[in-house]
Structures are given as structure tokens and as C-alpha cells.
């Protein structure tokens, strides 16, 4: 299996621009997670899906952030408009667990820099 | 408030020694705890999971303990090697998986 695939690996954009990050989970995994990692705050859970349905989005910082999972093999995290404080590495992870809490398989991350 | 604490300072040890990393938490009652390894520029990789009713779990040179009374987990790497150098993250399961900020381990020859 190819693992969790994220794109782009690196994104540099200017403040105010729209950013879309993409994720393809491992086939057959029921859960998909979006995390954000910074030096100051570590890995923060933004949102997670179970069977394509958003379950908990309490970690999404504000309305500028949105996430979708239109099918079992694709998810997007969108930031509109982007701000410099959104600069971070964004990770997507999937899990095969039949309930929340199983081992997570992470992608390699998308490093976002907002100027 | 809920908190997961890992030593933010890097741990430097000599090759062959045992590395011990600590994960302390407050105001959580996790059903289990996980440890991950993260290399620079890469995503975290799962290492071990220990359940609340387990005191200890081993995998090759790795050993994890879980003390729900002390609210602490210890992660040991025996016979450490330079290739073990990485950041190690603990994660608690409540209704979702919450990560600590990680401890960087440096093993020097």
C-alpha cells in the first residue's frame, strides 16, 4: 500500500490567498484526521471524519478553515483567506479502527508558509 | 485544564545506554496511550500502544509502562543506537487522540 498521500508537500502563498491541502487515505480505513503541527503548540487535532462524515471539528481554529471528505478516498482542508499565523505543517492521518483510537497512519505532511 | 507534558529539552545519551522518556498527563482518563516516532520532515510513525489495564508492553528494544495512578507513561529504548535519534511523541486516547509536544532524543556514538 502507498500509505497516506498528501499534496502539496510545500506551499508558499501570500496573506489573503486561498489554500487547499489534499489527502488520500489508505484504502479501507474508516477514519481520517487532519492535524496541524507547530513548534509552539505541537500536533493539534483540527477535525476528524468517520466514514466520510465529520465527527468533531472543535479543533478548527476559525471559520476561515473548512474540511470536506466527498468520498472514502479523498479529503481537502481549505483555508480562506490565509494568514501568516496559519504557517505550519498540516498532517493528514487515517486509521482502520472500527472505533476511534486505533493506530494512526500519517502522511508526510504539507508545509504551509503564508507571507 | 487538560495537559500532556513531555520534556521539551532534548535528551542526549551515549550509544548503548538506555534512553528513558517521560509522558505525564493531568485531567485525562485515557483508555490507552500510544507512542510515535517522528523524524525531521516526516510524519509521525506508530510504535506502541498500551492499554489502561496493562502495566508494561515490550517490542524488541522498546518498553512502555503506563501508571494510571501517577498519570504517567515511561518509554524506554535499550541498547540505544544513533539511528534511534528522533522526536518521540506520546498520545492519549480520550474521545480522540491528543498528542504531547514530543521529546527529541539524540544518541551519539
Amino acid at each position: 500500500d502507498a500509505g497516506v498521500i498528501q499534496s502539496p508537500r510545500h506551499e508558499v502563498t501570500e496573506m489573503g490567498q486561498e489554500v487547499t491541502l489534499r489527502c488520500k487515505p489508505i484504502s479501507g480505513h474508516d477514519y481520517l484526521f487532519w492535524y496541524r503541527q507547530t513548534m509552539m503548540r505541537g500536533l493539534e487535532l483540527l477535525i476528524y471524519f468517520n466514514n466520510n462524515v465529520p465527527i468533531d471539528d472543535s479543533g478548527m481554529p476559525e471559520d476561515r478553515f473548512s474540511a470536506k471528505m466527498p468520498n472514502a478516498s479523498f479529503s481537502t482542508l481549505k483555508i480562506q483567506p490565509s494568514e501568516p499565523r496559519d504557517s505550519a505543517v498540516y498532517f493528514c492521518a487515517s486509521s482502520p479502527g472500527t472505533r476511534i483510537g486505533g493506530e494512526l497512519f500519517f502522511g508526510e505532511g504539507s508545509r504551509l508558509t503564508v507571507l | 485544564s487538560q495537559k500532556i507534558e513531555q520534556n521539551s529539552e532534548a535528551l542526549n545519551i551515549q550509544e548503548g545506554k538506555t534512553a528513558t522518556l517521560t509522558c505525564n498527563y493531568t485531567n485525562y482518563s485515557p483508555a490507552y496511550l500510544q507512542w510515535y516516532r517522528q523524524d525531521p520532515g516526516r510524519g509521525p510513525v506508530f510504535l506502541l500502544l498500551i492499554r489502561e489495564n496493562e502495566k508494561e508492553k515490550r517490542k524488541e528494544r522498546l518498553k512502555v509502562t503506563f501508571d494510571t495512578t501517577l498519570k504517567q507513561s515511561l518509554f524506554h529504548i535499550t541498547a540505544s543506537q544513533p539511528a534511534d535519534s528522533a522526536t518521540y511523541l506520546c498520545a492519549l486516547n480520550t474521545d480522540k487522540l491528543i498528542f504531547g509536544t514530543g521529546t527529541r532524543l539524540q544518541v551519539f556514538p
Side-chain angles (χ1 to χ4, degrees), chain A residues 11 13-21 36 46 60-68 76-87 90 112 114:
Chain A
E11 174 94 2
T13 191
E14 292 188 347
M15 182 173 63
Q17 296 298 306
E18 177 179 295
V19 173
T20 299
L21 308 178
R36 177 172 69 176
L46 300 178
M60 296 285 262
E62 45 198 275
D63 292 344
R64 298 184 296 106
F65 286 68
S66 62
K68 294 182 179 180
T76 60
L77 178 67
K78 187 174 292 187
I79 308 172
Q80 166 63 19
S82 59
E83 296 183 2
R85 59 192 168 124
D86 301 330
S87 297
Y90 291 81
L112 173 64
V114 183

Side-chain angles (χ1 to χ4, degrees), chain A residues 99 101, chain B residues 30-33 49-57 66 68:
Chain A
R99 60 180 177 84
Chain B
Y32 47 86
L33 184 147
L49 177 152
I50 186 166
R51 302 183 191 283
E52 61 180 337
N53 61 350
E54 297 175 316
K55 296 296 185 186
E56 181 179 299
K57 184 75 82 67
F66 192 11
T68 55

